[in-house]
Amino acid sequence: MDVEELSLGVPKPILDSLPDPDGDAAQDMQQAVQGLETRLNRAITEADTESEAAAYVVDAIERLEDHYEKYDEFVPELRAWGQSPIYAIAWRNLQGDLILQLQEYDWLAPHIDRERNLRLVEDGIRFGKR
């Protein structure tokens, strides 16, 4: 299987939104993204087919979506307690951007849609059947 290796990064606008763009939070984000990239590329390399590789990526996308929702829920909660939600907003935005970065790979995009649709009906439920 010959597919393009994934290359992910933390967008500069997200880093610039942090109170200290070179501080611990920025380094944590970069390490988290590097770890995700490494795990995904390893799984893709070990996969036998593009579909199998895409399944690993869809797992990651679903985790990123869950994290996005959790960080999004923190924003109003932090505001209610009079705290700045800037870090929650930055992490939420990073999750969304990583999803977009993954969907931009031409070889991966059709497989992602197919895998997600398969997961919708995996439990045997067919739409339109009663």
Side-chain angles (χ1 to χ4, degrees):
M1 179 178 69
D2 186 33
V3 295
E4 179 183 1
E5 190 171 90
L6 302 178
S7 177
L8 305 173
V10 181
K12 186 165 177 21
I14 291 176
L15 292 174
D16 290 344
S17 73
L18 297 170
D20 180 7
D22 297 320
D24 291 341
Q27 290 175 9
D28 290 346
M29 286 181 170
Q30 291 167 337
Q31 288 176 349
V33 170
Q34 184 179 24
L36 174 64
E37 178 185 295
T38 300
R39 287 188 305 278
L40 286 175
N41 281 325
R42 185 179 312 123
I44 289 168
T45 301
E46 293 172 359
D48 294 328
T49 65
E50 283 186 18
S51 294
E52 185 181 336
Y56 291 114
V57 175
V58 170
D59 289 341
I61 288 173
E62 289 176 352
R63 281 191 306 276
L64 290 167
E65 289 170 341
D66 288 343
H67 292 161
Y68 181 96
E69 290 174 13
K70 286 178 186 171
Y71 286 118
D72 196 48
E73 291 171 3
F74 289 149
V75 172
E77 189 173 321
L78 288 167
R79 285 188 177 136
W81 285 97
Q83 308 231 352
S84 172
I86 192 65
Y87 293 107
I89 291 170
W91 279 96
R92 177 199 63 196
N93 292 347
L94 177 60
Q95 307 310 301
D97 195 271
L98 289 170
I99 292 167
L100 293 175
Q101 288 180 48
L102 290 169
Q103 292 173 337
E104 288 177 353
Y105 283 89
D106 291 335
W107 72 269
L108 198 50
H111 293 290
I112 289 173
D113 290 340
R114 193 173 310 122
E115 178 67 23
R116 293 196 91 169
N117 287 333
L118 279 171
R119 290 178 184 199
L120 283 174
V121 295
E122 188 175 56
D123 62 0
I125 297 171
R126 299 289 182 244
F127 299 107
K129 263 186 159 181
R130 294 184 191 256

